[in-house]
Amino acid sequence: MKRVLQRPPVGVARTAVLIAAARATEQRQLHRLFDDPLAEVLVEAAGSANDLTGVRTLAGEHFVLRTRYFDDQLLTSAQPQVVLMAAGLDTRAFRLNWPPGTTVYELDLPELIEFKEDALHDERAKPTCERVVVPCDLRDDWATALIHAGFDPKRPTAWLLEGLFMFLPPDDGEWVLHWVSALSARGSTLALEHVNRAFRELPQMRAVQQRFDTMDAGWRSDVEDPVAWLGGHGWQAGVTHPVDLAASHERPVPAITDPRKVGDARIWLASAVRTA
């Protein structure tokens, strides 16, 4: 018997459905960049992402490329602990081939985690690692919740902050990065996405920003130099340009990240190693 699902994601949590929809579309491609058979299940449980079609049309190709980028970063780091901050409807704990002994922690709002667990229940999905969900609000004391869930700050960790920082006010973003850094043993890795001010102000993004504002999901911060920003927190970082990422997978450069079309606007895809 199927359980009655919790209320589908609303507000900023709707962005998780948007990303899952992009992954579901890629899953239907013959030469796809990753496998994610659960993405469609989650989108259907949420009642589709048709209300966000405009955003997906604009940035869907970027979402696909960044998914593969972060997949590769996490698997290459091969850390015993993986923390997915604002995990949303992420299914990496189920679809990636993790090394033996890996524990993946998923942090997000309690109501979104509850919805996701219900949606996956009837699929009898089995994770390919030890999976621990940590219901919490990243604006609160999420670090204590993570440690109580079994996380060990003395062990190297791979952190993923995908599609998060631009939604946080600058002070909240600094707070998150401060604690990620404080909980990271030397040799830990970090992968994240952010944008610069020029990208936030792109005319092409105006309709997206207006749609996000109605969801209480407006973009509230940006960074001009992610390498210096992360360096100030004890990380040695590098940035992968979306043009190079697209070329490495023999995909067209998404229009929203093509310098010929967006000028100096940038979506930063950064990876880093903890050195301090």
Side-chain angles (χ1 to χ4, degrees), residues 14-28 34 36 38-40 42-44 48-53 56 60 63-64 89:
R14 286 293 296 167
T15 61
V17 184
L18 168 68
I19 306 306
R23 299 198 311 268
T25 298
E26 180 69 7
Q27 180 66 20
R28 294 191 286 270
F34 51 81
D36 191 354
L38 292 174
E40 188 67 41
L42 294 167
V43 175
E44 289 180 356
S48 89
N50 291 339
D51 59 320
L52 297 168
T53 297
R56 188 151 47 103
F63 296 150
V64 167
L89 300 182

Side-chain angles (χ1 to χ4, degrees), residues 124-185:
R124 299 183 180 179
K126 301 295 183 183
T128 57
C129 59
E130 181 180 354
R131 174 175 177 258
V132 181
V133 296
V134 185
C136 61
D137 189 323
L138 296 183
R139 296 167 296 185
D140 297 330
D141 187 9
W142 59 267
T144 297
L146 179 61
I147 291 172
H148 285 170
F151 174 85
D152 183 357
K154 296 179 181 179
R155 302 178 71 199
T157 304
W159 299 86
L160 176 60
L161 301 100
E162 180 179 15
L164 170 63
F165 279 111
M166 61 281 288
F167 292 105
L168 298 176
D171 287 349
D172 288 348
E174 288 295 324
W175 169 260
V176 168
L177 186 55
H178 165 79
W179 279 106
V180 166
S181 303
L183 295 173
S184 294

Side-chain angles (χ1 to χ4, degrees), residues 22-137:
R23 299 198 311 268
T25 298
E26 180 69 7
Q27 180 66 20
R28 294 191 286 270
Q29 304 305 310
L30 180 61
H31 301 293
R32 51 186 175 265
L33 296 188
F34 51 81
D35 284 312
D36 191 354
L38 292 174
E40 188 67 41
V41 172
L42 294 167
V43 175
E44 289 180 356
S48 89
N50 291 339
D51 59 320
L52 297 168
T53 297
V55 183
R56 188 151 47 103
T57 300
L58 182 68
E61 294 172 343
H62 166 69
F63 296 150
V64 167
L65 284 165
R66 87 173 189 192
T67 295
R68 175 58 187 269
Y69 171 79
F70 288 133
D71 285 358
D72 291 343
Q73 293 296 321
L74 290 173
L75 292 177
T76 299
S77 69
Q79 303 290 10
Q81 300 180 128
V82 177
V83 180
L84 308 180
M85 301 286 284
L89 300 182
D90 189 292
T91 60
R92 289 183 172 95
F94 299 89
R95 64 180 182 80
L96 293 184
N97 186 22
W98 297 103
T102 301
T103 300
V104 173
Y105 296 90
E106 298 183 15
L107 280 66
D108 215 318
L109 296 168
E111 58 270 24
L112 181 54
I113 284 182
E114 189 171 8
F115 168 80
K116 180 178 176 180
E117 296 305 288
D118 277 355
L120 293 175
H121 177 265
D122 292 316
E123 298 301 313
R124 299 183 180 179
K126 301 295 183 183
T128 57
C129 59
E130 181 180 354
R131 174 175 177 258
V132 181
V133 296
V134 185
C136 61
D137 189 323

Side-chain angles (χ1 to χ4, degrees), residues 39 63 149 184 196 225 236 271:
F63 296 150
S184 294
N196 67 359
D225 187 343
Q236 183 177 347
S271 60

Side-chain angles (χ1 to χ4, degrees), residues 195-202 221-224 265-266 268:
V195 298
N196 67 359
R197 176 61 60 88
F199 192 87
R200 285 182 65 193
E201 296 176 351
L202 269 179
S221 66
D222 49 67
V223 64
E224 297 306 312
R266 293 289 181 271
W268 307 116

